[in-house]
């Protein structure tokens, strides 16, 4: 039995019904909202575990819904975008969304995004409980207080930028980070050059942590958008 409660914000009835049916079939609890003001009200009064948020709402822009929720809560938000262009997804991620789905999406995709996000939630909870200074993900380990990273208990020889990048991705495991977000955190700015450098650092980092850099297990690429650290078993 899944006890997570999901808030579905979608004004398009067939899409909303599909989502609700999927959630019901998989034993999730759910709430629905059909516009932005209901979304904000339900998010604050019911504290759902995850929010699915359509960006094209009748009363307000989905981005403003994210900003409002983010002013008081870190609850995971997965945006649903009707456009295949990356700009609105990037804007949503930079405003604080965790992940995105592009319409039309399959039931499997919906469930996969939800699983990643719920896993992220449990990681976040266990960190806050233990206040852990050690990060473990499969064979990868980071000892934040010592400033060292290990693979299979062997210390990795990382450059300062690679280490910073690895820590940033690790601390946000399960969340898609945009190029702008990453470069802002690493270099304090986001110029085109920085995004190009970021690609290079991702390549060198992958060579050190991935057993098959061409089919990465830890760092997932979101083309045109950014990167995400995946929790492996
Ligand atoms: Ca819509």
């Amino acid at each position: 039995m899944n006890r997570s409660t999901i808030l579905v914000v979608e004004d398009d009835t067939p899409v909303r019904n599909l989502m609700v049916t999927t959630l019901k079939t998989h034993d999730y609890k759910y709430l629905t909202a059909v516009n932005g003001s209901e979304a904000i009200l339900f998010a604050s009064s019911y504290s759902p575990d995850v929010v699915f948020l359509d960006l094209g709402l009748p009363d307000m822009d989905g981005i403003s819904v994210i900003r409002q929720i983010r002013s008081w809560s870190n609850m995971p938000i997965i945006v649903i975008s009707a456009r295949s262009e990356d700009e609105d997804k990037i804007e949503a991620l930079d405003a604080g969304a965790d992940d995105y789905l592009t319409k039309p999406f399959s039931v499997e995709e919906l469930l996969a995004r939800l699983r990643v996000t719920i896993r992220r939630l449990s990681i976040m909870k266990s960190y806050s409980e233990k206040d852990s200074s050690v990060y473990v993900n499969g064979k990868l380990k980071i000892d934040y207080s010592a400033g060292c990273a290990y693979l299979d208990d062997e210390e990795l020889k990382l450059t300062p930028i690679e280490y910073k990048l690895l820590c940033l991705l690790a601390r946000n495991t399960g969340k898609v980070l945009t190029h702008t977000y990453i470069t802002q955190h690493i270099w304090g700015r986001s110029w085109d050059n920085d995004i190009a450098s970021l690609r290079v650092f991702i390549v060198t980092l992958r060579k050190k942590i991935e057993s098959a850099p061409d089919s990465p297990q830890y760092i997932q690429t979101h083309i045109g958008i950014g990167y995400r650290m995946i929790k492996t078993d």
Side-chain angles (χ1 to χ4, degrees):
M1 181 78 185
N2 286 309
R3 269 161 300 159
S4 304
T5 303
I6 319 298
L7 171 61
V8 174
V9 186
E10 174 60 82
D11 58 312
D12 185 336
T13 309
V15 179
R16 192 176 60 244
N17 288 347
L18 170 75
M19 295 178 74
V20 162
T21 309
T22 307
L23 294 174
K24 234 194 274 184
T25 317
H26 291 82
D27 291 329
Y28 289 102
K29 287 193 263 172
Y30 65 89
L31 292 154
T32 59
V34 296
N35 57 47
S37 36
E38 260 186 22
I40 294 165
L41 177 67
F42 292 173
S44 64
S45 29
Y46 300 102
S47 305
D49 297 295
V50 179
V51 182
F52 275 108
L53 174 69
D54 179 29
L55 286 179
L57 293 169
D59 59 336
M60 62 199 283
D61 184 8
I63 305 285
S64 349
V65 177
I66 301 171
R67 293 212 175 99
Q68 291 219 29
I69 294 179
R70 278 292 168 267
S71 65
W72 45 265
S73 168
N74 280 324
M75 63 177 68
I77 302 173
I78 304 172
V79 296
I80 303 166
S81 162
R83 278 170 293 166
S84 56
E85 289 99 80
D86 296 330
E87 277 144 51
D88 54 343
K89 289 167 209 155
I90 292 173
E91 201 189 345
L93 292 165
D94 281 334
D98 292 74
D99 201 351
Y100 57 88
L101 265 174
T102 307
K103 284 181 189 172
F105 52 83
S106 67
V107 164
E108 288 72 28
E109 263 181 288
L110 172 84
L111 291 169
R113 296 298 162 112
L114 196 52
R115 275 194 301 270
V116 169
T117 303
I118 287 173
R119 229 164 174 196
R120 167 171 162 69
L121 258 185
S122 67
I123 298 169
M124 276 162 34
K125 270 183 199 141
S126 73
Y127 277 170
S128 61
E129 276 160 20
K130 284 185 291 187
D131 193 27
S132 171
S133 66
V134 176
Y135 170 85
V136 180
N137 183 359
K139 293 173 176 175
L140 184 65
K141 196 168 99 185
I142 305 171
D143 183 338
Y144 293 120
S145 48
C148 299
Y150 306 83
L151 192 70
D152 267 335
D153 290 325
E154 210 166 299
E155 192 179 339
L156 291 162
K157 305 255 181 297
L158 301 178
T159 66
I161 298 271
E162 287 167 352
Y163 179 73
K164 227 172 150 180
L165 181 56
L166 181 65
C167 292
L168 183 64
L169 290 163
R171 288 191 194 277
N172 292 281
T173 297
K175 182 169 173 151
V176 180
L177 302 181
T178 64
H179 295 137
T180 309
Y181 180 92
I182 299 173
T183 53
Q184 287 284 6
H185 277 76
I186 305 260
W187 291 288
R189 53 175 200 224
S190 190
W191 299 344
D192 288 350
N193 278 353
D194 299 322
I195 294 174
S197 312
L198 172 61
R199 290 208 179 89
V200 175
F201 283 110
I202 290 281
V203 170
T204 59
L205 181 58
R206 273 184 176 145
K207 278 190 186 145
K208 296 178 185 179
I209 66 166
E210 303 278 6
S211 48
D214 291 338
S215 50
Q217 181 190 3
Y218 295 107
I219 305 171
Q220 196 180 56
T221 299
H222 289 251
I223 295 165
I225 294 177
Y227 301 96
R228 156 160 61 193
M229 175 67 84
I230 289 291
K231 174 82 181 137
T232 68
D233 293 313

